[in-house]
Structures are given as structure tokens and as C-alpha cells.
């Protein structure tokens, strides 16, 4: 229960750190020369405060939620203790949590050991708390700040089954040095931080020698295990967890008094007497029942009932075999079908009397996948007596069905009898694999091919150009002053501009030209069968189209709802003998940089 609650807290911190509102707020502060507090920043701040108030009220386990920028300034802070009306009010630059979090990557966490802190109540009671911090990372991997959640450790540990139980059991929780981590009662500092090795050296020795186990200590039994938050956080979404040195792993234990037989009898002698009496009566009643004629008649009636149920069960099993969601068939040693269920017959489009004892199963396998089927069938006939293969079945209507076949041999003292195979329809899996492959090669924002897609297309076009001797050209496109668009209008408007360019470029480019997004505002165009003059014409046509076609960004962004932008382009040839696109990309980038240096919004050729 404790570890599940900790993992829930880790996931809540990571999910909150990825809120677009939080990134936008810190990005606006980072882009300004001095901290900005305009209407937009105030609106974002109020929304963040509302969000944090909701988290604080809903979950109840946190005492403070804080947002800190990269300079250590506290911009948003929400807790059950009233704060000043407008941050920044606190400098976090020297705190361990801030320094550790700023050195982490996205989805990494810093977790402090439990410590004494303020509970957040009106009287500011002292309790135990834990700080959980994670970096807030922008779209380009830059650190925008730190998100800090302070967890009320005493509230979390109240839910332990034995922590507050007035019965004989007791919970133990210490760090790697044996320091006590559980708060107790109204005075959390009374045992918190004390050494278990000093107060109970036998228990500490047992827990420190092994990672888990059960040991007997005097009249008690101790069951314990170790848990390292830095490595055993697989049930959370965290990539890496960093903690204070020498505090991990934690050692958790439950201490119970040892039960004894005499103690059980002394505690409930009536229960033992009742059990004995019931046992004697049961034996006597059983003997009488067996000797009774009525019992014999009842047994015969039950036998008849079981027989009817067995026949019904056999019919249900046969129905399940025939209409199972997967196919079943059996083959003799020559591969002839001797049994096949209705499901597989429906897949193939045949009747049972057309297949059973008349057709070889191999005839239904496509020629391309028969080799895999033959290998698997030989394995079933061999010493291993089992085999599996992925094949395609040729259906009666001409369609092909991808399947996975898993087969075993039915063998008796007389040798091989038949094979038993289960056939699974892989159509949905194959379709999913195709969709996933397409997604892996597609930029999700513009729906253009990504860099990986470009590399694959380039390999094919380079090989084709090598065979035919046709020229192959490359254009690198970069949108001018794109950072200014993001800074002035926001990243959402920048995304609209990127999508508008992708649509426009598809219209301008020719059939067969390969348009891809390299990343950010940079695009690449591969021009098959295109020489220098033709490539420059295509690039100039694209440049003019961009310069004369503003992006539609909406009237809430500009007065007329349009935003003009331009692009610079570098053009080069892919040389004969170059096996990859990397040298051509480098040359095209040099042309692009030259176009930028000459004032942007132009096309520049880079010689080989």
C-alpha cells in the first residue's frame, strides 16, 4: 500500500509537469529579458493556481505545490498555509531539490528522504514530509524550471495496516543507515530519525544482512523486505529517480508476536472442543450413510445424472471445438487433413466433406510460405514432436489469410497417430503492424515523412539513379525567423504555420518528389531525375509560393487572420558514388546558410 501510494505520487508529479499551460507560463518568463507580469502571465498564473488548488484539495496528501524557474525564483506556490498575493517570494537556488532537479532529464525525479517539516495546518504543526521534484522541459529539451511537490509523509503512512493498529502487530520502516522513518502519534519527532540499531540491534542486523525474509526474535516474528526507489519504480512512469546518498534502499517490516499451541488453546478451549465434536459426529454420520440403502440408491441416481451431464458436456466441448475463435485441425503423417473445425473451414471457404480425408493441408498454404510450414511439420514428426510457423492460407475466393500455426504430435505406444494444431488469425495484428510502421515513418504534426522515412526513400532513389544514370537533386528548406513567430504568437501558431507550409509544398511539388520534415522548421525535398537547372526551378517556384501565400492563423492572432512568412532554400546534387544522403544534406545546408547570410527568402545552389 505504501509503495503503491508513492508510485501514484510520482505519476501525479510527472503528469503535472507536462501540462502545456505550465510549459507556456515558464516559456513566456524565460523569453523575456526581465520577469514579465502582463495580462497573459497573470491569466496563466491564476489558472495554474486553480489547478494546484484542485490537486491539493482532491488528493489531500500534499502540503505544498511549487513552480520554480531556472533561476530559482518561485512563481507559483500553493499550499494549505496562506501565501503572499503574488510571487516570486522565495529563492530556491540553494535548495537540494532545485539543484538536483535542474540536473535531471525529462520524466526523471528527485525524491528527498523523509524529514521534519510543516504540516500546512493553521497552527503549522510539525510533521514528516517528503519533497518530490522534477524538471519542466520544453519542446526542444530546454529546462524551463522545476516542479516541486511536498508530500505529507505522516498522512501517507497512516494507511499502513499496522502503523496505528492497537493490536499486537507493529510496522517498521528504516532507511539504509537504520534511521527510523515512521512518525508516531502526536509527536512525530519522538522516534523519527532514531537508530534502529541502537534500540534493537537484533532486528537491524537481520534486516541489513538480507534483502527479504522472516526471522524469529525472542518472542516475536519479523517479516521484512527491501525496496530501492532509485531502481524499483517499475510501476511508475518515472525514467530515473535520484535520492540522497546512503538513504536507499528502505527496509520495511511487520513485527508480530509468535503464536503457540498452548496460547491458542488457552485463548479458545471451547472452539477446540467444538471442532472435535463435529469431527466425531461427521465420521459417525458418514458410516451410517454409506451403510444405508437410501445412500446406495442415491449414488445410482447421481451416477445417471453424471452420465447425462457428461454427454451434455461432451456436446458443449464439441460445439466449442467447432466454433472456437481460432482454428483447429489434425493431420496424419502424410499431411492429409483428418479433422478440422468449422471456424477454419469458414476462413478457407470450404465444406468439411470437401476437405477431410481428401485434401493435404499444405495445398492451402501459399507457395511463398510453404517452406516455413514444411519445416514446422517435420519438427512435429521428429523427436521434438512440436512445431510452429507463420504462414499465409490461400482461401477459396482468392484472398490470403495470415495465420500462426502451433502444432504438437499425438503419440502412443504404437508411434505417431496424428498432429494437433491450433491456428490463429493474424489479420488484425498484421494490420496493426502496418499502421505502427507508417506512424514510425510519419511526422505527427504535418503528416509528412520524417527523417527516417527520408533515409529509406533516399536509399531507393540513390540505387535507382546509380542504375539509370539519371540525376538526383536535394533541396533543404528552412522557414525564416521561425523563432520570432513562436516567441511573438506562441508555439500553437508556429504549428499552424508548419502545417500550412506542408500543404502548400505538396501542391507546388511534382508527383514523385519526396517531401519530408527533418525537424523543427527544417524540411527536405528529394527530386528524382532532376538536374541542376530543373532543381533550381522547382526550388524557386516553392520559394515564391511561400512568400506570396500567407498562412491562415485566425483573426484572434492577426487583424486579417493571415500571417506572412518566407523560406530560404539550399539546393545541391547527389553525387555518383554517394551511398547515403548525408554528404548531400551537408552541402545543401551550406547553401541554406549562404541564403540566410545573403538576406533570407532566396535560393542558393551549392556546388559538389
Amino acid at each position: 500500500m505504501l509503495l503503491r501510494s508513492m508510485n501514484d505520487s510520482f505519476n501525479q508529479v510527472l503528469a503535472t509537469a507536462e501540462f502545456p499551460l505550465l510549459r507556456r507560463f515558464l516559456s513566456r518568463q524565460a523569453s523575456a529579458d526581465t520577469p514579465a507580469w502582463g495580462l497573459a502571465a497573470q491569466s496563466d498564473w491564476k489558472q495554474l493556481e486553480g489547478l494546484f488548488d484542485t490537486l491539493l484539495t482532491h488528493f489531500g496528501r500534499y502540503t505544498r505545490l511549487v513552480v520554480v524557474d531556472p533561476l530559482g525564483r518561485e512563481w507559483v506556490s500553493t499550499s494549505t498555509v496562506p501565501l503572499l498575493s503574488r510571487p516570486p517570494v522565495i529563492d530556491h537556488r540553494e535548495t537540494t531539490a532545485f539543484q538536483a532537479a535542474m540536473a535531471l532529464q525529462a520524466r526523471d525525479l528527485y525524491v528527498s528522504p523523509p524529514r521534519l517539516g510543516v504540516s500546512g495546518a493553521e497552527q503549522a504543526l510539525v510533521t514528516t514530509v517528503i519533497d518530490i521534484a522534477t524538471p519542466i522541459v520544453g519542446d526542444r529539451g530546454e529546462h524551463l524550471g522545476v516542479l516541486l511537490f511536498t508530500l505529507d509523509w505522516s498522512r501517507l503512512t497512516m494507511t499502513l495496516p499496522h502503523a496505528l493498529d492497537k493490536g499486537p502487530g507493529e510496522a517498521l520502516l528504516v532507511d539504509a543507515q537504520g534511521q527510523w522513518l515512521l512518525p508516531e502519534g502526536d509527536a512525530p519527532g519522538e522516534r523519527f530519525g532514531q537508530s534502529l540499531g541502537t534500540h534493537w540491534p537484533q532486528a537491524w542486523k537481520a534486516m541489513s544482512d538480507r534483502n527479504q525474509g522472516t526471522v524469529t526474535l525472542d518472542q516475536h516474528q519479523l517479516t521484512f523486505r527491501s525496496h530501492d526507489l532509485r531502481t524499483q519504480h517499475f510501476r511508475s512512469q518515472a525514467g530515473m529517480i535520484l535520492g540522497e546518498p546512503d538513504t536507499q534502499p528502505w527496509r520495511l517490516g511487520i513485527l508480530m508476536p509468535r503464536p503457540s499451541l498452548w496460547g491458542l488453546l488457552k485463548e479458545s478451549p471451547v472452539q477446540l472442543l467444538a471442532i472435535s465434536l463435529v469431527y466425531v459426529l461427521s465420521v459417525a454420520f458418514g458410516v451410517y450413510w454409506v451403510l444405508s440403502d437410501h445412500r446406495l440408491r442415491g449414488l445410482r441416481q447421481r451416477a445417471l445424472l453424471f452420465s447425462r451431464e457428461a454427454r451434455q458436456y461432451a456436446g458443449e466441448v464439441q460445439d466449442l471445438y467447432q466454433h472456437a475463435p481460432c482454428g483447429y485441425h489434425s493431420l496424419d503423417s502424410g499431411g492429409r487433413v483428418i479433422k478440422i473445425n468449422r471456424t477454419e473451414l469458414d476462413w478457407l471457404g470450404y465444406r468439411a466433406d470437401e476437405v477431410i480425408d481428401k485434401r493435404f493441408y499444405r495445398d492451402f498454404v501459399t507457395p511463398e510460405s510453404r517452406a516455413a510450414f514444411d519445416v514446422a511439420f517435420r519438427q512435429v514428426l521428429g523427436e521434438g514432436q512440436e512445431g510452429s510457423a507463420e504462414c499465409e492460407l490461400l482461401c477459396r475466393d482468392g484472398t490470403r489469410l495470415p495465420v500462426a500455426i502451433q502444432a504438437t504430435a499425438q503419440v502412443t505406444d504404437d508411434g505417431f497417430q496424428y498432429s494437433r494444431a491450433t491456428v490463429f488469425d493474424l489479420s488484425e495484428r498484421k494490420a496493426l503492424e502496418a499502421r505502427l510502421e507508417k506512424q514510425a515513418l510519419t511526422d505527427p504534426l504535418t503528416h509528412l515523412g520524417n527523417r527516417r522515412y527520408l533515409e529509406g526513400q533516399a536509399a531507393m532513389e540513390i540505387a535507382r539513379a546509380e542504375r539509370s544514370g539519371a540525376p538526383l537533386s536535394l533541396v533543404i528548406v528552412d522557414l525564416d525567423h521561425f523563432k520570432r513567430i513562436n516567441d511573438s504568437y506562441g508555439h500553437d501558431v508556429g504549428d499552424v504555420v508548419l502545417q500550412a507550409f506542408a500543404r502548400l509544398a505538396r501542391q507546388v511539388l511534382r508527383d514523385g518528389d519526396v517531401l519530408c520534415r527533418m525537424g523543427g522548421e527544417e524540411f527536405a525535398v528529394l527530386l528524382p531525375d532532376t538536374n541542376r537547372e530543373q532543381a533550381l526551378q522547382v526550388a524557386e517556384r516553392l520559394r515564391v509560393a511561400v512568400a506570396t501565400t500567407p498562412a491562415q492563423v485566425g483573426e484572434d492572432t492577426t487583424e486579417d487572420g493571415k500571417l506572412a512568412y518566407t523560406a530560404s532554400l539550399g539546393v545541391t546534387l547527389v553525387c555518383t558514388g554517394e551511398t547515403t544522403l548525408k554528404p548531400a544534406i551537408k552541402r545543401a545546408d551550406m547553401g541554406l546558410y549562404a541564403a540566410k547570410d545573403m538576406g533570407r527568402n532566396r535560393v542558393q545552389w551549392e556546388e559538389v
Side-chain angles (χ1 to χ4, degrees):
M1 184 182 301
L2 174 65
L3 300 179
R4 184 171 64 248
S5 298
M6 289 294 295
N7 285 329
D8 290 344
S9 299
F10 296 160
N11 292 336
Q12 289 165 9
V13 174
L14 293 173
T16 305
E18 293 185 356
F19 278 133
L21 174 63
L22 185 58
R23 294 179 175 178
R24 185 178 67 197
F25 176 81
L26 288 176
S27 296
R28 182 177 285 113
Q29 306 306 325
S31 63
D33 295 334
T34 58
W37 201 255
L39 293 177
Q42 291 187 28
S43 174
D44 289 349
W45 179 59
K46 290 180 180 179
Q47 293 184 52
L48 286 173
E49 275 205 322
L51 172 65
F52 283 7
D53 284 336
T54 301
L55 292 175
L56 202 66
T57 303
H58 178 73
F59 292 103
R61 67 177 67 171
Y62 304 110
T63 64
R64 184 179 58 154
L65 314 178
V66 178
V67 176
V68 184
D69 68 10
L71 299 179
R73 298 174 300 197
E74 178 178 290
W75 281 99
V76 181
S77 179
T78 303
S79 72
T80 50
V81 178
L83 299 175
L84 296 180
S85 60
R86 178 183 295 179
V89 294
I90 297 177
D91 187 352
H92 289 262
R93 285 178 296 180
E94 302 300 323
T95 62
T96 303
F98 173 78
Q99 294 177 355
M102 284 298 291
L104 297 176
Q105 300 298 319
R107 305 194 69 79
D108 292 345
L109 292 171
Y110 163 80
V111 180
S112 75
R115 58 179 177 81
L116 292 178
V118 179
S119 67
E122 292 182 0
Q123 294 82 10
L125 299 176
V126 174
T127 185
T128 49
V129 296
I130 284 182
D131 291 327
I132 304 175
T134 187
I136 304 170
V137 180
D139 296 334
R140 299 183 178 181
E142 72 278 17
H143 282 53
L144 301 176
V146 170
L147 179 64
L148 174 65
F149 277 38
T150 299
L151 179 66
D152 191 338
W153 178 246
S154 61
R155 174 177 294 220
L156 197 65
T157 56
M158 283 175 59
T159 60
L160 288 176
H162 299 274
L164 298 179
D165 191 356
K166 302 305 181 182
E170 182 182 8
L172 304 179
L173 180 60
V174 297
D175 63 14
Q177 302 301 315
Q179 303 299 313
W180 189 268
L181 300 180
L182 287 178
E184 292 186 345
D186 298 329
E190 185 174 347
R191 289 181 65 180
F192 181 78
Q194 300 297 317
S195 173
L196 179 64
T198 301
H199 295 281
W200 200 350
Q202 289 180 302
W204 170 240
K205 184 179 186 305
M207 296 175 73
S208 60
D209 286 345
R210 292 183 294 168
N211 288 330
Q212 62 180 14
T214 299
V215 296
T216 300
L217 303 174
D218 298 327
Q219 298 302 316
H220 293 82
Q221 182 170 285
L222 175 63
T223 300
F224 62 92
R225 59 171 289 192
S226 297
H227 187 87
D228 195 330
L229 291 177
R230 299 169 300 181
T231 58
Q232 296 172 286
H233 56 274
F234 54 87
R235 295 187 181 274
S236 73
Q237 301 299 319
M240 181 183 72
I241 291 184
L242 178 68
E244 294 293 328
D246 302 328
T247 60
Q248 293 288 334
W250 288 352
R251 304 184 187 277
L252 306 90
I254 295 294
L255 187 69
M256 298 291 292
R258 289 180 58 196
S260 63
L261 178 61
W262 172 249
L264 295 175
L265 295 177
K266 184 177 179 181
E267 180 179 353
S268 183
V270 177
Q271 183 179 8
L272 179 62
L273 179 61
I275 293 174
S276 302
L277 180 60
V278 170
Y279 179 79
V280 172
L281 291 176
S282 299
V283 172
F285 184 78
V287 172
Y288 171 78
W289 184 265
V290 170
L291 297 177
S292 168
D293 180 68
H294 174 75
R295 174 61 174 167
L296 294 176
R297 288 196 299 269
L299 290 175
R300 285 193 293 269
Q301 292 176 356
R302 291 183 64 187
L304 293 175
L305 177 61
F306 288 158
S307 178
R308 288 194 297 269
E309 290 177 351
R311 289 194 297 271
Q312 181 181 357
Y313 179 77
E316 292 175 353
V317 171
Q318 179 65 17
D319 184 74
L320 178 62
Y321 173 85
Q322 291 294 341
H323 301 95
C326 57
Y328 292 108
H329 67 255
S330 297
L331 309 179
D332 62 17
S333 58
R336 189 186 304 272
V337 179
I338 60 176
K339 193 175 183 181
I340 186 169
N341 73 342
R342 172 56 56 188
T343 300
E344 194 167 1
L345 286 170
D346 290 342
W347 290 350
L348 295 171
Y350 291 88
R351 300 190 311 273
D353 59 350
E354 296 176 315
V355 175
I356 296 177
D357 294 329
K358 297 179 180 179
R359 298 289 297 271
F360 292 93
Y361 192 86
R362 188 176 185 272
D363 296 338
F364 298 115
V365 181
T366 60
E368 296 82 1
S369 57
R370 281 177 185 165
F373 172 81
D374 292 340
V375 171
F377 191 64
R378 285 196 297 270
Q379 291 173 345
V380 174
L381 297 177
E383 294 182 357
Q385 298 181 353
E386 63 179 14
S388 61
E390 285 194 10
C391 306
E392 280 189 324
L393 299 182
L394 186 59
C395 303
R396 191 170 204 163
D397 59 2
T399 61
R400 296 189 174 201
L401 179 69
V403 296
I405 303 175
Q406 296 179 351
T408 59
Q410 174 65 25
V411 181
T412 65
D413 294 337
D414 297 329
F416 177 89
Q417 301 298 310
Y418 53 85
S419 69
R420 298 175 298 186
T422 305
V423 185
F424 301 94
D425 183 357
L426 301 182
S427 300
E428 292 185 2
R429 195 193 81 180
K430 295 293 184 181
L432 177 60
E433 290 175 351
R435 289 197 300 271
L436 292 177
E437 183 178 1
K438 182 178 180 181
Q439 291 174 3
L441 300 175
T442 304
D443 173 56
L445 178 63
T446 62
H447 302 294
L448 299 176
N450 57 18
R451 181 183 290 269
R452 181 180 173 187
Y453 175 78
L454 177 64
E455 292 173 353
Q457 292 297 307
M460 293 189 297
E461 294 298 339
I462 290 174
R464 184 181 295 114
E466 193 74 19
R467 292 192 302 270
S468 64
L472 179 63
S473 298
L474 175 68
V475 180
I476 298 295
V477 185
D478 188 270
L479 304 189
D480 297 329
H481 301 298
F482 189 76
K483 183 178 184 301
R484 184 183 302 169
I485 294 176
N486 280 335
D487 294 343
S488 301
Y489 302 100
H491 288 274
D492 51 345
V493 175
D495 291 345
V496 172
V497 173
L498 292 174
Q499 292 170 338
F501 172 79
R503 290 192 297 270
L504 179 63
R506 286 195 193 101
Q507 299 171 4
V508 173
L509 293 174
R510 308 162 303 175
D511 293 338
D513 294 343
V514 181
L515 173 64
C516 300
R517 184 185 178 193
M518 300 285 285
E521 67 273 19
E522 190 175 63
F523 299 80
V525 184
L526 196 61
L527 305 176
D529 197 17
T530 305
N531 58 28
R532 180 182 186 275
E533 290 74 21
Q534 294 169 332
L536 288 174
Q537 290 175 3
V538 172
E540 180 62 17
R541 186 166 62 248
L542 178 59
R543 183 198 67 79
V544 173
V546 171
T548 57
T549 310
Q552 299 292 335
V553 295
E555 295 181 357
D556 56 340
T557 302
T558 61
E559 291 183 359
D560 58 355
K562 300 179 180 179
L563 182 62
Y565 66 104
T566 61
S568 298
L569 301 90
V571 188
T572 190
L573 278 175
V574 179
C575 298
T576 302
E578 291 180 347
T579 58
T580 68
L581 207 59
K582 290 182 179 180
I585 291 176
K586 185 175 181 180
R587 290 194 299 274
D589 278 336
M590 294 174 62
L592 176 64
Y593 297 147
K596 294 280 189 182
D597 293 338
M598 288 187 289
R600 295 182 171 85
N601 189 22
R602 62 181 63 244
V603 176
Q604 182 65 32
W605 173 266
E606 185 66 26
E607 289 291 343
V608 177

